[in-house]
Coordinates of all heavy atoms in Angstrom, one line a residue:
M1 N 236.2 -134.5 17.1 CA 237.5 -134.0 17.4 C 237.5 -133.7 19.0 O 236.5 -133.0 19.4 CB 237.9 -132.7 16.7 CG 239.1 -132.2 16.9 SD 239.5 -130.6 16.1 CE 238.6 -130.6 14.6
T2 N 238.5 -134.1 19.7 CA 238.6 -133.9 21.1 C 239.6 -132.8 21.4 O 240.7 -132.8 20.9 CB 238.9 -135.1 21.9 OG1 237.9 -136.1 21.6 CG2 239.0 -134.9 23.4
G3 N 239.1 -131.8 22.3 CA 240.1 -130.8 22.7 C 240.8 -131.3 23.9 O 240.4 -132.0 24.7
V4 N 242.1 -130.7 24.0 CA 242.9 -131.0 25.2 C 243.3 -129.7 25.7 O 243.9 -128.9 25.1 CB 244.2 -131.7 24.8 CG1 245.2 -132.0 25.9 CG2 243.9 -133.1 24.1
K5 N 243.0 -129.5 27.0 CA 243.3 -128.2 27.7 C 244.5 -128.6 28.6 O 244.3 -129.4 29.5 CB 242.2 -127.7 28.5 CG 242.5 -126.4 29.2 CD 241.2 -125.9 29.9 CE 241.5 -124.6 30.7 NZ 240.2 -124.2 31.3
L6 N 245.7 -128.0 28.4 CA 246.8 -128.3 29.1 C 247.0 -127.2 30.2 O 247.2 -126.0 29.9 CB 248.1 -128.3 28.2 CG 248.0 -129.3 27.0 CD1 249.2 -129.0 26.1 CD2 248.1 -130.7 27.5
L7 N 247.1 -127.6 31.4 CA 247.3 -126.8 32.6 C 248.7 -127.2 33.1 O 248.7 -128.1 34.0 CB 246.2 -126.8 33.6 CG 244.8 -126.4 33.1 CD1 243.8 -126.7 34.2 CD2 244.8 -125.0 32.7
L8 N 249.8 -126.6 32.6 CA 251.1 -127.0 32.9 C 252.0 -125.9 33.4 O 251.6 -124.8 33.0 CB 251.7 -127.8 31.7 CG 250.9 -129.0 31.2 CD1 251.5 -129.5 29.8 CD2 250.9 -130.2 32.2
P9 N 253.0 -126.2 34.0 CA 254.1 -125.1 34.3 C 254.5 -124.5 33.0 O 254.7 -125.1 32.0 CB 255.1 -125.8 35.1 CG 254.4 -127.0 35.7 CD 253.4 -127.4 34.7
A10 N 254.8 -123.2 33.1 CA 255.3 -122.6 31.9 C 256.5 -123.2 31.2 O 256.5 -123.3 29.9 CB 255.6 -121.1 32.2
D11 N 257.3 -123.7 32.1 CA 258.6 -124.4 31.5 C 258.2 -125.6 30.6 O 258.9 -125.7 29.5 CB 259.4 -125.0 32.6 CG 260.0 -124.0 33.6 OD1 259.8 -122.7 33.4 OD2 260.7 -124.4 34.6
I12 N 257.2 -126.3 30.9 CA 256.8 -127.4 30.1 C 256.3 -127.0 28.8 O 256.6 -127.4 27.7 CB 255.8 -128.3 30.9 CG1 256.4 -129.0 32.1 CG2 255.2 -129.4 29.9 CD1 255.4 -129.7 32.9
L13 N 255.3 -125.9 28.8 CA 254.7 -125.6 27.5 C 255.8 -124.8 26.7 O 255.7 -124.9 25.5 CB 253.6 -124.6 27.8 CG 252.3 -125.3 28.3 CD1 251.2 -124.3 28.7 CD2 251.8 -126.3 27.3
E14 N 256.7 -124.1 27.3 CA 257.7 -123.4 26.4 C 258.7 -124.5 25.7 O 259.0 -124.4 24.6 CB 258.6 -122.6 27.3 CG 257.9 -121.3 27.7 CD 258.7 -120.5 28.8 OE1 259.8 -120.7 29.0 OE2 258.1 -119.6 29.3
E15 N 259.1 -125.6 26.5 CA 259.9 -126.6 25.9 C 259.0 -127.3 24.8 O 259.6 -127.7 23.8 CB 260.4 -127.5 27.0 CG 261.3 -128.5 26.5 CD 261.9 -129.5 27.7 OE1 261.9 -129.0 28.8 OE2 262.3 -130.6 27.4
L16 N 257.8 -127.6 25.1 CA 257.0 -128.4 24.1 C 256.7 -127.7 22.8 O 256.8 -128.2 21.8 CB 255.7 -128.7 24.8 CG 254.8 -129.6 24.1 CD1 255.4 -130.9 23.6 CD2 253.5 -129.8 24.9
D17 N 256.5 -126.3 23.0 CA 256.3 -125.5 21.8 C 255.1 -126.0 20.9 O 255.4 -126.2 19.7 CB 257.6 -125.2 21.1 CG 257.4 -124.0 20.1 OD1 256.6 -123.1 20.3 OD2 258.1 -124.0 19.1
L18 N 254.0 -126.4 21.5 CA 253.0 -127.0 20.7 C 252.3 -125.9 19.7 O 252.2 -124.8 20.1 CB 251.8 -127.4 21.6 CG 251.5 -128.8 22.0 CD1 250.2 -128.8 22.8 CD2 251.5 -129.7 20.9
P19 N 252.0 -126.4 18.5 CA 251.4 -125.4 17.6 C 250.0 -125.2 18.1 O 249.2 -126.2 18.6 CB 251.4 -126.2 16.3 CG 251.6 -127.6 16.6 CD 252.3 -127.6 17.9
Y20 N 249.6 -123.9 18.2 CA 248.3 -123.6 18.7 C 247.1 -124.0 17.7 O 247.3 -123.6 16.5 CB 248.1 -122.1 19.1 CG 246.7 -121.8 19.5 CD1 246.3 -122.0 20.8 CD2 245.8 -121.3 18.7 CE1 245.1 -121.8 21.3 CE2 244.5 -121.0 19.2 CZ 244.2 -121.2 20.4 OH 242.9 -121.0 20.8
E21 N 246.2 -124.7 18.1 CA 245.1 -125.0 17.2 C 243.8 -124.8 18.1 O 243.5 -125.6 18.9 CB 245.2 -126.5 16.8 CG 244.2 -126.9 15.8 CD 244.4 -128.3 15.3 OE1 245.5 -128.7 15.1 OE2 243.4 -129.0 15.1
G22 N 243.1 -123.8 17.8 CA 241.9 -123.5 18.5 C 240.8 -124.6 18.4 O 240.7 -125.2 17.4
V23 N 240.1 -124.7 19.3 CA 239.0 -125.8 19.4 C 237.7 -125.1 19.7 O 237.7 -124.3 20.8 CB 239.4 -126.8 20.4 CG1 238.4 -127.9 20.5 CG2 240.8 -127.5 20.2
R24 N 236.7 -125.4 19.1 CA 235.4 -124.8 19.3 C 234.3 -126.0 19.5 O 234.2 -126.8 18.7 CB 235.0 -124.0 18.1 CG 234.1 -122.8 18.4 CD 233.7 -122.1 17.1 NE 234.7 -121.5 16.5 CZ 234.6 -121.0 15.3 NH1 233.5 -121.1 14.6 NH2 235.6 -120.3 14.7
D25 N 233.6 -125.8 20.6 CA 232.5 -126.7 20.9 C 232.8 -128.2 20.7 O 232.1 -128.9 20.1 CB 231.3 -126.3 20.0 CG 230.8 -124.9 20.2 OD1 230.9 -124.4 21.3 OD2 230.4 -124.2 19.2
V26 N 233.9 -128.6 21.3 CA 234.2 -130.0 21.4 C 234.4 -130.6 22.8 O 234.7 -129.7 23.6 CB 235.4 -130.4 20.5 CG1 235.2 -130.0 19.0 CG2 236.6 -129.6 21.1
P27 N 234.2 -131.8 23.1 CA 234.5 -132.3 24.4 C 235.9 -132.1 24.7 O 236.8 -132.3 23.8 CB 234.1 -133.7 24.4 CG 233.5 -134.0 23.0 CD 233.7 -132.8 22.1
A28 N 236.3 -131.6 25.9 CA 237.7 -131.4 26.2 C 238.2 -132.3 27.3 O 237.5 -132.6 28.3 CB 237.8 -129.9 26.6
L29 N 239.4 -132.8 27.1 CA 240.2 -133.4 28.1 C 241.0 -132.3 28.8 O 241.4 -131.3 28.2 CB 241.2 -134.4 27.5 CG 240.7 -135.6 26.9 CD1 241.7 -136.4 26.2 CD2 240.0 -136.5 27.8
T30 N 241.3 -132.5 30.1 CA 242.1 -131.6 30.8 C 243.3 -132.3 31.3 O 243.2 -133.3 32.0 CB 241.4 -130.8 32.0 OG1 240.3 -130.2 31.5 CG2 242.3 -129.9 32.8
V31 N 244.5 -131.8 31.0 CA 245.8 -132.4 31.5 C 246.4 -131.4 32.4 O 246.7 -130.2 32.0 CB 246.8 -132.7 30.3 CG1 248.0 -133.2 30.8 CG2 246.1 -133.7 29.3
A32 N 246.5 -131.7 33.7 CA 247.0 -130.7 34.6 C 248.1 -131.2 35.5 O 248.0 -132.4 35.9 CB 245.8 -130.2 35.5
V33 N 249.1 -130.5 35.8 CA 250.1 -130.8 36.8 C 249.9 -129.9 38.0 O 249.7 -128.7 37.8 CB 251.5 -130.6 36.2 CG1 252.6 -130.7 37.3 CG2 251.8 -131.6 35.1
D34 N 249.8 -130.4 39.1 CA 249.6 -129.6 40.3 C 250.8 -128.8 40.6 O 251.8 -129.4 41.1 CB 249.1 -130.4 41.6 CG 250.1 -131.4 42.0 OD1 251.2 -131.6 41.5 OD2 249.9 -132.0 43.1
A35 N 250.9 -127.6 40.2 CA 252.2 -126.8 40.3 C 251.8 -125.4 40.8 O 250.5 -125.0 40.6 CB 252.8 -126.7 39.0
V36 N 252.7 -124.6 41.3 CA 252.3 -123.3 41.8 C 251.9 -122.3 40.7 O 250.8 -121.7 40.8 CB 253.6 -122.8 42.7 CG1 253.3 -121.3 43.0 CG2 253.9 -123.6 43.8
S37 N 252.7 -122.3 39.6 CA 252.3 -121.4 38.6 C 252.0 -122.2 37.3 O 252.9 -122.9 36.9 CB 253.3 -120.3 38.3 OG 254.5 -121.0 38.0
V38 N 250.8 -122.1 36.8 CA 250.5 -122.9 35.7 C 250.0 -122.0 34.5 O 249.5 -120.9 34.8 CB 249.4 -124.0 35.9 CG1 250.0 -125.0 36.9 CG2 248.1 -123.4 36.4
V39 N 250.2 -122.3 33.3 CA 249.6 -121.7 32.2 C 248.8 -122.7 31.4 O 249.0 -123.9 31.5 CB 250.7 -121.0 31.3 CG1 251.4 -119.9 32.1 CG2 251.7 -122.0 30.8
A40 N 247.9 -122.1 30.6 CA 247.0 -123.1 29.9 C 247.3 -122.9 28.4 O 247.6 -121.9 27.9 CB 245.6 -122.8 30.2
N41 N 247.1 -124.0 27.7 CA 247.2 -124.1 26.2 C 246.1 -125.0 25.8 O 245.7 -125.9 26.5 CB 248.6 -124.6 25.8 CG 248.8 -124.5 24.3 OD1 248.1 -123.7 23.6 ND2 249.7 -125.2 23.8
L42 N 245.4 -124.6 24.7 CA 244.3 -125.5 24.1 C 244.7 -125.9 22.8 O 245.2 -125.3 22.0 CB 243.1 -124.6 24.0 CG 241.8 -125.3 23.8 CD1 241.4 -126.3 24.9 CD2 240.6 -124.3 23.6
A43 N 244.6 -127.3 22.6 CA 244.9 -127.9 21.3 C 244.0 -129.1 21.1 O 243.2 -129.4 22.0 CB 246.3 -128.4 21.3
T44 N 244.0 -129.6 19.9 CA 243.2 -130.8 19.7 C 244.0 -132.0 20.1 O 245.2 -132.0 20.2 CB 242.8 -131.0 18.1 OG1 243.9 -131.1 17.5 CG2 241.9 -129.8 17.8
L45 N 243.3 -133.1 20.4 CA 244.0 -134.3 20.7 C 244.9 -134.8 19.6 O 246.0 -135.3 19.7 CB 243.0 -135.4 21.1 CG 243.6 -136.7 21.7 CD1 244.5 -136.3 22.9 CD2 242.5 -137.7 22.1
A46 N 244.4 -134.6 18.3 CA 245.2 -135.0 17.2 C 246.5 -134.1 17.1 O 247.5 -134.6 16.6 CB 244.3 -134.7 15.9
T47 N 246.5 -132.9 17.6 CA 247.7 -132.1 17.6 C 248.6 -132.6 18.7 O 249.8 -132.6 18.5 CB 247.3 -130.6 17.9 OG1 246.5 -130.1 16.8 CG2 248.6 -129.7 18.0
L48 N 248.0 -133.0 19.8 CA 248.9 -133.5 21.0 C 249.6 -134.8 20.7 O 250.7 -135.0 21.1 CB 248.0 -133.6 22.2 CG 248.8 -134.0 23.5 CD1 249.8 -133.0 23.9 CD2 247.7 -134.2 24.6
Q49 N 248.8 -135.7 20.0 CA 249.3 -137.1 19.9 C 250.8 -137.2 19.3 O 251.6 -137.9 19.8 CB 248.4 -138.0 19.2 CG 247.3 -138.4 20.0 CD 246.2 -139.2 19.3 OE1 246.3 -139.3 18.1 NE2 245.3 -139.8 20.0
P50 N 251.0 -136.5 18.1 CA 252.4 -136.6 17.6 C 253.4 -136.0 18.5 O 254.6 -136.3 18.4 CB 252.3 -135.8 16.3 CG 250.9 -135.5 16.0 CD 250.2 -135.7 17.3
H51 N 253.0 -135.1 19.5 CA 254.0 -134.4 20.3 C 254.0 -135.1 21.7 O 254.6 -134.5 22.6 CB 253.5 -133.0 20.5 CG 253.6 -132.2 19.2 ND1 254.8 -131.7 18.7 CD2 252.6 -131.9 18.3 CE1 254.5 -131.1 17.5 NE2 253.1 -131.3 17.3
L52 N 253.4 -136.2 21.9 CA 253.3 -136.8 23.2 C 254.7 -137.2 23.8 O 254.9 -137.0 24.9 CB 252.4 -138.1 23.2 CG 251.9 -138.7 24.5 CD1 251.2 -137.6 25.3 CD2 251.1 -139.8 24.4
G53 N 255.5 -137.6 22.9 CA 256.9 -138.0 23.4 C 257.7 -136.7 23.9 O 258.3 -136.7 24.9
A54 N 257.4 -135.6 23.1 CA 258.0 -134.4 23.6 C 257.4 -133.8 24.8 O 258.0 -133.3 25.7 CB 257.9 -133.3 22.5
L55 N 256.1 -134.0 25.0 CA 255.4 -133.6 26.2 C 256.0 -134.4 27.4 O 256.3 -133.9 28.4 CB 253.9 -133.9 26.1 CG 253.1 -133.6 27.4 CD1 253.2 -132.2 27.8 CD2 251.6 -134.1 27.1
V56 N 256.2 -135.8 27.2 CA 256.7 -136.5 28.3 C 258.0 -136.1 28.7 O 258.5 -135.9 29.8 CB 256.7 -138.0 27.9 CG1 257.6 -138.9 28.7 CG2 255.2 -138.5 27.9
A57 N 258.9 -135.8 27.6 CA 260.3 -135.4 27.9 C 260.3 -134.0 28.6 O 261.0 -133.8 29.6 CB 261.1 -135.3 26.6
A58 N 259.4 -133.2 28.2 CA 259.3 -131.9 28.9 C 258.9 -131.9 30.4 O 259.4 -131.3 31.2 CB 258.4 -130.9 28.1
I59 N 257.9 -132.8 30.6 CA 257.4 -133.0 32.0 C 258.5 -133.6 32.8 O 258.8 -133.1 34.0 CB 256.2 -134.0 32.0 CG1 254.9 -133.2 31.4 CG2 255.9 -134.4 33.5 CD1 253.8 -134.1 31.2
R60 N 259.3 -134.6 32.3 CA 260.4 -135.2 33.0 C 261.4 -134.1 33.3 O 261.9 -134.0 34.4 CB 260.9 -136.4 32.2 CG 262.1 -137.0 33.0 CD 262.6 -138.3 32.3 NE 263.4 -139.1 33.3 CZ 264.7 -138.8 33.4 NH1 265.3 -137.7 32.9 NH2 265.4 -139.6 34.3
N61 N 261.8 -133.4 32.3 CA 262.9 -132.4 32.5 C 262.4 -131.4 33.6 O 263.2 -130.9 34.4 CB 263.1 -131.6 31.2 CG 263.8 -132.5 30.2 OD1 264.4 -133.5 30.6 ND2 263.8 -132.1 28.9
W62 N 261.2 -131.0 33.5 CA 260.6 -130.1 34.6 C 260.7 -130.7 36.0 O 261.1 -130.1 37.0 CB 259.2 -129.6 34.3 CG 258.5 -128.9 35.3 CD1 258.7 -127.6 35.6 CD2 257.7 -129.4 36.3 NE1 257.9 -127.2 36.7 CE2 257.1 -128.4 37.1 CE3 257.0 -130.7 36.4 CZ2 256.2 -128.5 38.1 CZ3 256.1 -130.8 37.4 CH2 255.7 -129.8 38.3
R63 N 260.3 -132.0 36.1 CA 260.3 -132.7 37.4 C 261.8 -132.8 37.9 O 261.9 -132.7 39.1 CB 259.7 -134.1 37.3 CG 258.3 -134.1 37.4 CD 257.7 -133.5 38.6 NE 258.1 -134.3 39.9 CZ 258.5 -133.8 41.0 NH1 258.7 -132.5 41.1 NH2 258.8 -134.6 42.0
L64 N 262.8 -133.0 37.1 CA 264.1 -133.1 37.5 C 264.5 -131.7 38.2 O 265.5 -131.7 39.0 CB 265.0 -133.4 36.4 CG 264.9 -134.9 35.9 CD1 265.7 -135.1 34.6 CD2 265.3 -135.9 36.9
R65 N 264.0 -130.7 37.7 CA 264.3 -129.3 38.2 C 263.6 -128.9 39.5 O 263.9 -128.1 40.3 CB 264.2 -128.3 37.2 CG 265.1 -128.3 36.1 CD 265.0 -127.2 35.1 NE 263.7 -127.0 34.5 CZ 263.3 -127.5 33.4 NH1 264.0 -128.3 32.6 NH2 262.1 -127.2 32.9
D66 N 262.3 -129.5 39.6 CA 261.4 -129.2 40.6 C 261.8 -129.9 41.9 O 262.0 -131.2 41.9 CB 260.0 -129.6 40.3 CG 259.0 -129.1 41.2 OD1 258.8 -129.7 42.3 OD2 258.3 -128.1 40.9
P67 N 262.0 -129.1 43.1 CA 262.5 -129.7 44.3 C 261.5 -130.6 45.1 O 261.9 -131.3 46.0 CB 263.0 -128.5 45.1 CG 262.1 -127.4 44.7 CD 261.8 -127.7 43.2
R68 N 260.2 -130.5 44.8 CA 259.2 -131.2 45.6 C 259.4 -132.7 45.4 O 259.7 -133.2 44.4 CB 257.8 -130.8 45.2 CG 257.5 -129.4 45.6 CD 256.2 -129.0 45.1 NE 256.3 -128.8 43.6 CZ 255.2 -128.6 42.9 NH1 254.0 -128.5 43.4 NH2 255.3 -128.5 41.6
P69 N 259.2 -133.5 46.5 CA 259.4 -134.9 46.4 C 258.4 -135.6 45.4 O 258.7 -136.6 44.8 CB 259.1 -135.5 47.8 CG 258.7 -134.3 48.6 CD 258.8 -133.0 47.8
S70 N 257.2 -135.0 45.3 CA 256.2 -135.6 44.3 C 255.2 -134.6 44.0 O 254.9 -133.7 44.7 CB 255.5 -136.8 45.0 OG 254.6 -137.4 44.1
V71 N 254.7 -134.7 42.7 CA 253.5 -133.9 42.2 C 252.6 -134.9 41.5 O 253.0 -136.0 41.1 CB 253.9 -132.7 41.4 CG1 254.8 -131.7 42.2 CG2 254.7 -133.1 40.2
T72 N 251.5 -134.4 41.2 CA 250.6 -135.3 40.5 C 250.1 -134.7 39.2 O 249.8 -133.6 39.1 CB 249.3 -135.5 41.3 OG1 249.7 -136.0 42.6 CG2 248.2 -136.4 40.7
L73 N 250.1 -135.5 38.2 CA 249.6 -135.2 36.8 C 248.2 -135.8 36.7 O 248.0 -136.9 37.1 CB 250.5 -135.8 35.7 CG 249.9 -135.7 34.3 CD1 250.0 -134.3 33.8 CD2 250.8 -136.7 33.4
T74 N 247.2 -134.9 36.4 CA 245.8 -135.4 36.3 C 245.3 -135.2 34.9 O 245.6 -134.2 34.3 CB 244.9 -134.4 37.2 OG1 245.5 -134.5 38.6 CG2 243.5 -134.9 37.2
V75 N 244.7 -136.3 34.4 CA 244.1 -136.2 33.0 C 242.7 -136.6 33.3 O 242.3 -137.7 33.7 CB 244.8 -137.2 32.2 CG1 244.2 -137.1 30.7 CG2 246.3 -137.0 32.1
K76 N 241.7 -135.6 32.9 CA 240.3 -135.9 33.1 C 239.6 -135.6 31.8 O 240.0 -134.6 31.1 CB 239.8 -135.0 34.1 CG 240.2 -135.5 35.5 CD 239.4 -134.8 36.5 CE 239.8 -135.4 38.0 NZ 239.0 -134.9 39.0
G77 N 238.6 -136.3 31.5 CA 237.8 -136.0 30.3 C 236.8 -137.2 30.1 O 236.8 -138.1 30.9
P78 N 236.1 -137.2 29.0 CA 235.1 -138.2 28.7 C 235.8 -139.6 28.6 O 236.6 -139.8 27.8 CB 234.5 -137.9 27.4 CG 234.8 -136.4 27.2 CD 236.1 -136.1 27.9
G79 N 235.5 -140.5 29.6 CA 236.1 -141.8 29.7 C 237.5 -141.9 30.2 O 238.0 -143.0 30.2
I80 N 238.0 -140.8 30.6 CA 239.4 -140.8 31.1 C 239.4 -140.0 32.4 O 239.0 -139.0 32.6 CB 240.4 -140.1 30.1 CG1 240.5 -141.0 28.9 CG2 241.8 -140.0 30.8 CD1 241.5 -140.5 27.9
D81 N 240.1 -140.7 33.4 CA 240.3 -140.1 34.8 C 241.6 -140.8 35.3 O 241.5 -141.7 36.0 CB 239.1 -140.3 35.7 CG 239.3 -139.5 36.9 OD1 240.2 -138.7 37.1 OD2 238.4 -139.6 37.8
L82 N 242.7 -140.1 35.0 CA 244.0 -140.6 35.5 C 244.6 -139.7 36.5 O 244.5 -138.4 36.3 CB 244.9 -140.7 34.3 CG 244.6 -141.5 33.1 CD1 245.6 -141.3 32.0 CD2 244.6 -143.0 33.5
K83 N 245.3 -140.2 37.4 CA 246.2 -139.4 38.3 C 247.5 -140.2 38.3 O 247.6 -141.4 38.6 CB 245.5 -139.4 39.7 CG 244.3 -138.5 39.8 CD 244.0 -138.2 41.2 CE 242.7 -137.5 41.3 NZ 242.5 -136.3 40.6
V84 N 248.5 -139.5 37.9 CA 249.8 -140.1 37.7 C 250.8 -139.4 38.7 O 251.0 -138.2 38.6 CB 250.4 -139.9 36.3 CG1 251.7 -140.5 36.1 CG2 249.4 -140.5 35.3
D85 N 251.3 -140.1 39.6 CA 252.3 -139.6 40.6 C 253.6 -139.3 39.8 O 254.1 -140.2 39.0 CB 252.6 -140.6 41.7 CG 253.5 -140.1 42.7 OD1 253.4 -138.9 43.2 OD2 254.5 -140.8 43.1
L86 N 254.2 -138.1 40.0 CA 255.4 -137.8 39.3 C 256.6 -137.6 40.3 O 256.8 -136.5 40.8 CB 255.3 -136.5 38.5 CG 254.1 -136.5 37.4 CD1 254.0 -135.1 36.8 CD2 254.5 -137.4 36.3
P87 N 257.2 -138.7 40.7 CA 258.4 -138.5 41.5 C 259.5 -137.8 40.8 O 259.4 -137.7 39.5 CB 258.8 -140.0 41.8 CG 258.3 -140.8 40.7 CD 257.1 -140.1 40.2
R88 N 260.4 -137.2 41.4 CA 261.5 -136.5 40.7 C 262.2 -137.2 39.7 O 262.6 -136.7 38.7 CB 262.5 -136.0 41.8 CG 261.9 -134.8 42.6 CD 262.8 -134.0 43.3 NE 263.6 -133.1 42.4 CZ 264.8 -132.8 42.5 NH1 265.4 -133.2 43.6 NH2 265.4 -132.1 41.6
N89 N 262.3 -138.6 39.9 CA 263.1 -139.4 38.9 C 262.2 -140.1 38.0 O 262.5 -141.2 37.4 CB 264.0 -140.3 39.6 CG 263.3 -141.3 40.5 OD1 262.1 -141.2 40.7 ND2 264.0 -142.4 40.9
V90 N 261.0 -139.6 37.7 CA 260.1 -140.3 36.8 C 260.6 -140.5 35.5 O 261.4 -139.7 35.0 CB 258.7 -139.5 36.7 CG1 258.9 -138.2 36.0 CG2 257.7 -140.5 36.0
S91 N 260.5 -141.7 34.9 CA 261.1 -142.0 33.5 C 260.1 -141.7 32.5 O 258.9 -141.7 32.7 CB 261.5 -143.5 33.5 OG 260.4 -144.3 33.4
R92 N 260.7 -141.4 31.3 CA 259.8 -141.2 30.2 C 259.0 -142.4 29.8 O 257.8 -142.3 29.4 CB 260.8 -140.8 28.9 CG 261.4 -139.5 29.1 CD 262.4 -139.1 28.1 NE 261.8 -139.3 26.7 CZ 262.4 -138.9 25.6 NH1 263.7 -138.3 25.7 NH2 261.8 -139.0 24.4
A93 N 259.6 -143.6 30.0 CA 258.9 -144.9 29.7 C 257.6 -145.0 30.6 O 256.5 -145.3 30.2 CB 259.7 -146.0 29.8
Q94 N 257.8 -144.6 32.0 CA 256.8 -144.8 32.8 C 255.6 -143.7 32.4 O 254.4 -144.1 32.4 CB 257.2 -144.3 34.3 CG 258.0 -145.4 35.0 CD 258.5 -144.7 36.3 OE1 259.2 -143.7 36.3 NE2 258.2 -145.4 37.4
L95 N 256.0 -142.5 32.2 CA 254.9 -141.5 31.8 C 254.2 -141.9 30.5 O 253.0 -141.8 30.4 CB 255.6 -140.2 31.5 CG 255.8 -139.3 32.8 CD1 256.7 -138.1 32.5 CD2 254.5 -138.9 33.3
L96 N 254.9 -142.4 29.4 CA 254.3 -142.8 28.2 C 253.3 -144.0 28.5 O 252.3 -143.9 27.9 CB 255.4 -143.2 27.1 CG 255.9 -142.1 26.3 CD1 257.1 -142.7 25.5 CD2 254.9 -141.5 25.5
A97 N 253.8 -144.9 29.3 CA 252.8 -146.0 29.5 C 251.6 -145.6 30.2 O 250.5 -146.0 30.0 CB 253.5 -147.1 30.4
Q98 N 251.7 -144.7 31.2 CA 250.5 -144.2 31.9 C 249.6 -143.2 31.2 O 248.5 -143.1 31.5 CB 251.0 -143.5 33.2 CG 251.6 -144.5 34.1 CD 252.0 -144.0 35.5 OE1 251.1 -143.4 36.2 NE2 253.3 -144.2 35.9
L99 N 250.2 -142.5 30.1 CA 249.5 -141.7 29.3 C 248.9 -142.4 28.0 O 248.3 -141.7 27.2 CB 250.3 -140.5 28.9 CG 250.6 -139.5 30.1 CD1 251.5 -138.4 29.6 CD2 249.3 -139.1 30.8
Q100 N 249.1 -143.6 28.0 CA 248.7 -144.5 26.8 C 247.2 -144.3 26.5 O 246.9 -144.2 25.3 CB 248.9 -145.9 26.9 CG 248.6 -146.8 25.8 CD 249.6 -146.5 24.7 OE1 250.8 -146.1 24.8 NE2 249.1 -146.7 23.4
P101 N 246.3 -144.1 27.4 CA 244.9 -143.8 27.0 C 244.6 -142.6 26.2 O 243.7 -142.6 25.4 CB 244.2 -143.7 28.4 CG 245.0 -144.5 29.3 CD 246.4 -144.3 28.9
L102 N 245.6 -141.6 26.2 CA 245.3 -140.5 25.4 C 245.6 -140.9 23.9 O 245.0 -140.3 23.0 CB 246.4 -139.4 25.8 CG 246.1 -138.6 27.0 CD1 247.3 -137.6 27.2 CD2 244.8 -137.9 27.0
L103 N 246.4 -141.8 23.6 CA 246.6 -142.3 22.3 C 245.5 -143.1 21.7 O 245.3 -143.2 20.5 CB 248.0 -143.2 22.2 CG 249.3 -142.4 22.6 CD1 250.4 -143.4 22.7 CD2 249.6 -141.3 21.7
E104 N 244.7 -143.7 22.7 CA 243.6 -144.5 22.2 C 242.3 -143.8 22.0 O 241.3 -144.3 21.5 CB 243.4 -145.7 23.2 CG 244.7 -146.6 23.3 CD 244.6 -147.5 24.5 OE1 243.7 -147.3 25.3 OE2 245.6 -148.2 24.7
E105 N 242.3 -142.5 22.5 CA 241.1 -141.7 22.5 C 240.8 -141.3 21.0 O 241.6 -141.0 20.2 CB 241.4 -140.4 23.3 CG 240.1 -139.6 23.5 CD 239.0 -140.1 24.4 OE1 239.4 -141.0 25.2 OE2 237.9 -139.7 24.3
E106 N 239.5 -141.3 20.6 CA 239.2 -140.9 19.3 C 238.3 -139.7 19.3 O 237.5 -139.4 20.1 CB 238.4 -142.0 18.6 CG 239.3 -143.2 18.4 CD 238.6 -144.3 17.6 OE1 237.7 -144.0 16.9 OE2 239.1 -145.4 17.7

């Protein structure tokens, strides 16, 4: 079981409303958006996968409200090192395609 540590703006985690599932002694992926104020949530990858569409929508909605021209989403963990540029008009399809490696992780 792989843990996912989400370091995201509070708006994203509130909109996502992920069920909390504690993770103990497992390799962890970190998903982080470079933002001024971030909060963390810890879940298993199995918990995140069914909510990936909602996560992508929440990130996109947050980006539409955020005035910066660009921010970066970083995903790091065993076998994964992604940096995804998030322009203000990032599409859900672009994000899903770039986060595809999370769906393939076992």
Side-chain angles (χ1 to χ4, degrees):
M1 183 182 333
T2 299
V4 178
K5 184 176 182 182
L6 303 171
L7 301 172
L8 302 169
D11 294 1
I12 294 174
L13 287 177
E14 286 171 16
E15 185 175 335
L16 184 57
D17 195 27
L18 257 186
Y20 177 80
E21 185 177 323
V23 180
R24 208 186 293 169
D25 299 325
V26 294
L29 293 172
T30 300
V31 178
V33 172
D34 65 353
V36 174
S37 61
V38 296
V39 294
N41 190 13
L42 188 63
T44 63
L45 190 56
T47 300
L48 179 63
Q49 285 179 345
H51 298 279
L52 196 57
L55 174 62
V56 163
I59 290 171
R60 182 174 191 280
N61 291 341
W62 171 78
R63 277 303 293 136
L64 289 172
R65 294 186 303 268
D66 188 281
R68 292 174 290 174
S70 183
V71 296
T72 302
L73 173 71
T74 304
V75 182
K76 289 189 177 193
I80 293 180
D81 188 3
L82 301 172
K83 291 198 185 302
V84 179
D85 184 47
L86 299 175
R88 290 198 67 213
N89 64 346
V90 66
S91 75
R92 289 171 60 171
Q94 285 174 303
L95 275 172
L96 274 174
Q98 293 184 52
L99 294 176
Q100 187 64 35
L102 288 177
L103 298 173
E104 298 163 359
E105 188 70 19
E106 294 186 22

